[in-house]
Amino acid sequence: GENVEQHPSTLSVQEGDSAVIKCTYSDSASNYFPWYKQELGKRPQLIIDIRSNVGEKKDQRIAVTLNKTAKHFSLHITETQPEDSAVYFCAATTGNQFYFGTGTSLTVIP
Amino acid sequence: DAGITQSPRHKVTETGTPVTLRCHQTENHRYMYWYRQDPGHGLRLIHYSYGVKDTDKGEVSDGYSVSRSKTEDFLLTLESATSSQTSVYFCAISELAEQFFGPGTRLTVL
């Protein structure tokens, strides 16, 4: 089955700086790559996603890039704010089962 | 949030007792999932359903069974709870790839 690896496991940045989280996947048939944000004690929330026919997608301060050849995708958060502090998960799927990375705990220092 | 509810939200039980968790959706989505979330492991799939009475195993299905007799309800049963099944359980629904999570159930097995 699919194997998704996520790095780093923890990340601290100064407010206003950028944060980058990277994921790799193993199954070349995976075609949908969502990113979730999970605040403490809450459910994971979908924040952005990308499909395999697109190389980059942006939504305000967050963006996701996909490199199908290298089988990796990344989450970019610009102009970080304290409310961006949370755990972020990447995932990959061929359509039925979703495979998640182990999460990145992002701390934005005011 | 998508129309997903989970019950109960919290449960404490003893080793060896049966436990059933319920997931209810009002979105009429085809796919429903049960995950467990543990520190250091991210979200791991237990079972999923792709229609009424149609279910399949995920990566950590041992000790769990599921049933889906109606589109809106997906039940997860621990036949004989063990301490290793102490976890936070999330239900999720999906249609056309986007996946949305319920609020979670915190289960403690003593």
Side-chain angles (χ1 to χ4, degrees):
Chain A
E2 174 69 281
N3 180 45
V4 177
E5 296 189 355
Q6 183 173 346
H7 299 280
S9 56
T10 60
L11 179 61
S12 292
V13 299
Q14 290 291 137
E15 182 177 358
D17 287 350
S18 295
V20 180
I21 302 170
K22 299 181 179 181
C23 289
T24 62
Y25 62 99
S26 60
D27 189 348
S28 58
S30 289
N31 55 16
Y32 175 69
F33 307 90
W35 285 88
Y36 291 85
K37 175 183 180 182
Q38 187 177 28
E39 297 175 345
L40 190 64
K42 301 294 180 89
R43 73 185 81 186
Q45 297 270 18
L46 178 68
I47 56 171
I48 196 167
D49 56 16
I50 191 167
R51 298 181 189 273
S52 59
N53 59 347
V54 175
E56 183 173 359
K57 183 177 179 180
K58 188 173 182 180
D59 183 3
Q60 298 183 356
R61 295 187 297 109
I62 60 174
V64 57
T65 59
L66 171 65
N67 183 326
K68 287 190 297 182
T69 303
K71 296 196 189 72
H72 66 71
F73 55 113
S74 300
L75 178 70
H76 305 253
I77 307 174
T78 58
E79 302 173 16
T80 54
Q81 302 168 3
E83 51 264 39
D84 294 330
S85 296
V87 178
Y88 292 81
F89 293 96
C90 64
T93 181
T94 57
N96 291 350
Q97 294 194 42
F98 286 71
Y99 297 87
F100 285 82
T102 51
T104 296
S105 178
L106 173 65
T107 301
V108 180
I109 303 165
Chain B
D1 293 328
I4 314 169
T5 57
Q6 292 183 230
S7 58
R9 295 292 313 281
H10 302 271
K11 186 170 183 66
V12 179
T13 191
E14 295 188 349
T15 299
T17 60
V19 176
T20 296
L21 309 182
R22 179 183 184 236
C23 178
H24 179 78
Q25 62 149 329
T26 58
E27 305 295 324
N28 202 34
H29 283 2
R30 178 184 175 194
Y31 289 91
M32 298 186 75
Y33 305 81
W34 277 107
Y35 293 91
R36 60 177 290 172
Q37 185 174 39
D38 305 289
H41 291 278
L43 290 150
R44 293 183 291 174
L45 181 65
I46 305 171
H47 284 279
Y48 71 101
S49 168
Y50 46 96
V52 173
K53 293 185 169 41
D54 292 323
T55 65
D56 205 351
K57 296 179 180 180
E59 62 178 309
V60 291
S61 60
D62 288 348
Y64 302 95
S65 62
V66 290
S67 66
R68 191 171 179 197
S69 58
K70 297 184 291 185
T71 300
E72 57 266 35
D73 289 326
F74 193 32
L75 304 180
L76 176 71
T77 297
L78 291 65
E79 301 289 350
S80 178
T82 67
S83 58
S84 65
Q85 293 175 313
T86 292
S87 188
V88 178
Y89 292 84
F90 285 101
C91 172
I93 63 174
S94 176
E95 191 74 38
L96 301 177
E98 291 185 351
Q99 185 175 82
F100 301 97
F101 286 85
T105 294
R106 183 173 295 276
L107 176 67
T108 302
V109 184
L110 302 175

